[in-house]
Structures are given as C-alpha cells and as structure tokens.
Amino acid sequence: MPEAATADDWRRLVFDETVAGLVLIDQFGTITGANAWACRMFGFEAEAEIIGMPIFRLLPEASPLDAGLGLGLEGVRRDGVRFPVDARFTMIERDDETIFLATVVDLRGTSAEEAALIARAEELERVNERLARFAFVASQDLQEPLRKIAVFGDLMEEAILRGDNDEIVHANAVMRFSALRARALVQDLLSFSRIVNDELELASLDLRAAIELSLAALSPTIAETKARVEIDLPAVAIEADATQFQRLVQNILANAIKYRKPGEPATIDIRAFRDEASLCLAIADDGIGFEAQYAQKIFEPLKQLHSKVEYPGSGVGLAICKAIADRHGWRLSVEAQPGLGATFFIVLPARDAGR
C-alpha cells in the first residue's frame, strides 16, 4: 500500500492543479516557483525556464509590496506579446523568510462586466479577510482590559469588606480605565468595519481643498501642540470618496503629531509630485520615526511599535489608512528612520483641477 501523502505533497498538488497562474517570488523579486498554468499562460514549457527570472519580466507594472488588486495590469509572454491580467500578491512569512505568492488570471476574452465582477469579488474577499484578521486581533486585545476588570472587581469587593478606601479608589480607577480601553477597541472595530464595508461615493475633489478640510478637523490638536504644517501642492483634482480621503490624511497627520520628538512641536511637510497620469502625495514629519523593517507591519491592525504608556492608542489608525487606499486602488507606503521621522507616500491617479 502506498505511503500516505505528506502535507507538502498535498500543497504541491493544489499548487500544480489550480486553474490560475501561481508564481512564488522571494523578497528580492526573483521567481522561485511557478505552476503549470502560469507556465502556459506566459508561454513557457517548464517551470525551470521561469525560475530565476525577475517578476517584472512577466508583470512589469506590478509589485509584490502592493499586495492588492492588480486589475488593469498587463502580463508579458515569452514572445513579448502583452495581454491583460488580474494579479494579486499575498505575503507569506515562513520561519525567518518572507516570500510572496502571485495569483495571476488571464483576462483575455473577459468582458468589461466580467472584469468588474472579478474586481468586486476580490475586493469582497479582501474585505472579509481584513475584518476577520482585525476581529481576531481585537478579541485578543480585549482580553487584557476584561481580565483587569474581573481581577480588580474582586479586589474592590475585598477592599469594601475591609473598609480600605485607598484600595477601593485604586481598584475603581483601574476598572474604569480598562472599561474605557475595551470600549475604544470596540469603537475602533466598528469604525474599521464601516471603512471596509461602506459603498464608496466617488467624486472629483480638489486636492488642496480636501487636505485643508483634514487640517481643519485637527486644528485644536495642531494649535495645542504648536505643530507646524507646510503645504506645497499643484492644482490637481483626484477622484475619491471625500470622507474616506479626508480620514486617510487626517489619520496620517494625527500620527505625525502624536509621534513627535519629546519636548518639540511636530513639523509636517505636505507635498505632491505628478506626471501625466499619476500623483504622488508625500506627508513627511520630523518625529521619532522607526526602523525600516517595520514599514509593512505598521499598517497591520492594532500594531503599535512604541510604548502604549508613552503613546496611548489602539493602533488602528494606519490600518484604516491602508484599507482606504486599497479600496480606491491606490498605493500607500512609508519610509522612516529612527530619530529622523517618517514620510508616507500615496500614489493615485490625477488630473488638472477644473477638468
């Protein structure tokens, strides 16, 4: 009787038989594996012919770091023929190694309506994945304040029996703080859910006017902390959901003010650079920054790199920013250095204001 198939055997079987192009890529963008469907799609006869190639040879406009929807991209066959594809990247962390899985669908012969349905289905899949991941992390974080409420509730009961007023006051303070923390987490979960589920109401927005609305919403905090904000923007319009775009910018600005250097006001520089088709909005600060290795993790739900005591908060603000950018099909990234601050980049389509 043949030996039972191992887990690796089953994974390889699924990889080979999936009716979509699957390509494995290392952290340097080099292809390390491909299934038979991907080989045929790109005009190769065997996996060995693809291994070792840079991914941009097959998908010149895509990047694994985008890790999102790639509808509207082009694939390049071995003979140089270009064809429309949908490419989605998934980051996989294994031991001390980070790899990416590209799922590529050939859209040749697909109607505009079918392409739109594919895009909507993939967006819903990502929405559900984000919500599931966020709900799991939030449930873990909720255990801490709920545990404290239970523990200090017992301590308060004992203190009341002893008539220890100081201990009663202390227990009450801890329970109140924990309850507020739990409520904040629940509110953040609801906020995140609304961001990823609500229908987008796209409209043409003047970039400067939209950003000034975000600044106006933060004006009390800016005045209180004496933050300095400089703006240098071209006359350009963007297509976006006004509320969500303002929330994205507001969260990044609030983050810059929050993580300013101790004893110093934050300096924030908002600039935009454009070419014929796209706009890169850059929001830079001179705050405490962080190590470059955390540039992706910072967008994960409830991820905080610094002490919650010194920098209180739930860690959902940048996760909301990433969700907003993904829903619009924009690219959001960050560069930072410890002690030198951080710069957030948003790349999106643009046109001249008034057009």
Side-chain angles (χ1 to χ4, degrees):
M1 186 173 180
E3 294 182 4
T6 66
D8 284 341
D9 292 333
W10 284 111
R11 280 193 290 268
R12 186 71 207 188
L13 179 63
V14 171
F15 184 78
D16 285 337
E17 298 302 321
T18 297
V19 186
L22 299 180
V23 183
L24 290 172
I25 309 150
D26 67 17
Q27 58 186 324
F28 304 107
T30 302
I31 297 172
T32 61
N35 69 350
W37 198 273
C39 293
R40 288 193 296 270
M41 183 188 305
F42 289 100
F44 294 89
E45 295 183 3
E47 180 184 30
E49 296 176 323
I50 290 183
I51 291 176
M53 282 187 177
I55 186 60
F56 64 77
R57 165 64 181 79
L58 305 182
L59 300 168
E61 300 170 331
S63 167
L65 295 180
D66 290 344
L69 180 65
L71 198 64
L73 297 178
E74 284 189 324
V76 180
R77 285 176 50 85
R78 185 178 192 173
D79 56 12
V81 173
R82 290 176 173 260
F83 60 100
V85 299
D86 165 28
R88 180 183 178 191
F89 293 91
T90 303
M91 185 170 67
I92 303 170
E93 293 187 357
R94 185 175 59 188
D95 299 328
D96 295 330
E97 180 186 22
T98 299
I99 61 175
F100 297 89
L101 173 65
T103 305
V104 187
V105 177
D106 187 344
L107 296 182
R108 284 174 292 188
T110 302
S111 67
E113 292 79 8
E114 289 172 326
L117 285 174
I118 291 173
R120 181 57 178 161
E122 291 197 349
E123 181 184 356
L124 288 173
E125 181 183 346
R126 290 199 309 277
V127 165
N128 289 333
E129 182 181 322
R130 289 193 201 102
L131 282 175
R133 187 167 63 249
F134 186 84
F136 174 77
V137 176
S139 68
Q140 300 299 308
D141 276 30
L142 272 173
Q143 292 183 20
E144 178 191 356
L146 294 178
R147 181 184 62 80
K148 284 188 175 180
I149 291 172
V151 169
F152 280 87
D154 291 339
L155 292 177
M156 176 180 280
E157 184 177 358
E158 295 173 4
I160 291 173
L161 293 175
R162 296 195 310 270
D164 188 339
N165 289 331
D166 290 342
E167 186 63 28
I168 292 172
V169 170
H170 175 64
N172 179 68
V174 172
M175 291 170 64
R176 184 176 185 279
F177 177 83
S178 298
L180 292 174
R181 165 71 177 162
R183 185 174 70 177
L185 283 170
V186 172
Q187 289 174 340
D188 285 339
L189 177 59
L190 293 174
S191 178
F192 188 85
S193 175
R194 284 192 294 269
I195 287 294
V196 299
N197 275 317
D198 286 354
E199 287 292 329
L200 294 178
E201 297 182 6
L202 298 177
S204 179
L205 308 177
D206 179 84
L207 179 64
R208 176 179 283 272
I211 287 178
E212 285 177 347
L213 284 173
S214 297
L215 288 169
L218 284 173
S219 57
T221 303
I222 292 173
E224 180 184 350
T225 62
K226 298 182 173 58
R228 297 187 292 270
V229 182
E230 298 180 3
I231 302 177
D232 183 8
L233 300 171
V236 64
I238 63 172
E239 187 176 74
D241 181 296
T243 301
Q244 291 204 8
F245 177 75
Q246 289 158 19
R247 179 71 179 274
L248 186 158
V249 174
Q250 186 176 331
N251 283 4
I252 293 176
L253 294 173
N255 197 73
I257 294 172
K258 177 179 178 179
Y259 292 102
R260 63 189 182 276
K261 292 174 182 173
E264 298 182 21
T267 297
I268 304 169
D269 191 19
I270 305 175
R271 298 179 182 272
F273 313 90
R274 62 167 302 181
D275 56 23
E276 293 182 358
S278 62
L279 172 83
C280 178
L281 177 63
I283 304 177
D285 66 64
D286 63 347
I288 61 175
F290 56 86
E291 296 284 352
Q293 66 191 30
Y294 299 113
Q296 293 298 315
K297 293 183 180 295
I298 198 171
F299 295 113
E300 294 178 8
L302 303 173
K303 175 68 69 175
Q304 290 180 273
L305 304 182
H306 304 286
S307 167
K308 292 182 181 180
V309 176
E310 295 182 68
Y311 301 96
S314 65
V316 75
L318 293 180
I320 286 177
C321 291
K322 186 67 167 65
I324 292 172
D326 285 351
R327 291 205 64 196
H328 283 79
W330 303 338
R331 191 162 66 246
L332 174 63
S333 60
V334 62
E335 294 179 1
Q337 292 185 49
L340 298 179
T343 302
F344 288 84
F345 299 96
I346 309 161
V347 179
L348 62 163
R351 62 179 183 274
D352 293 334
R355 287 180 56 186

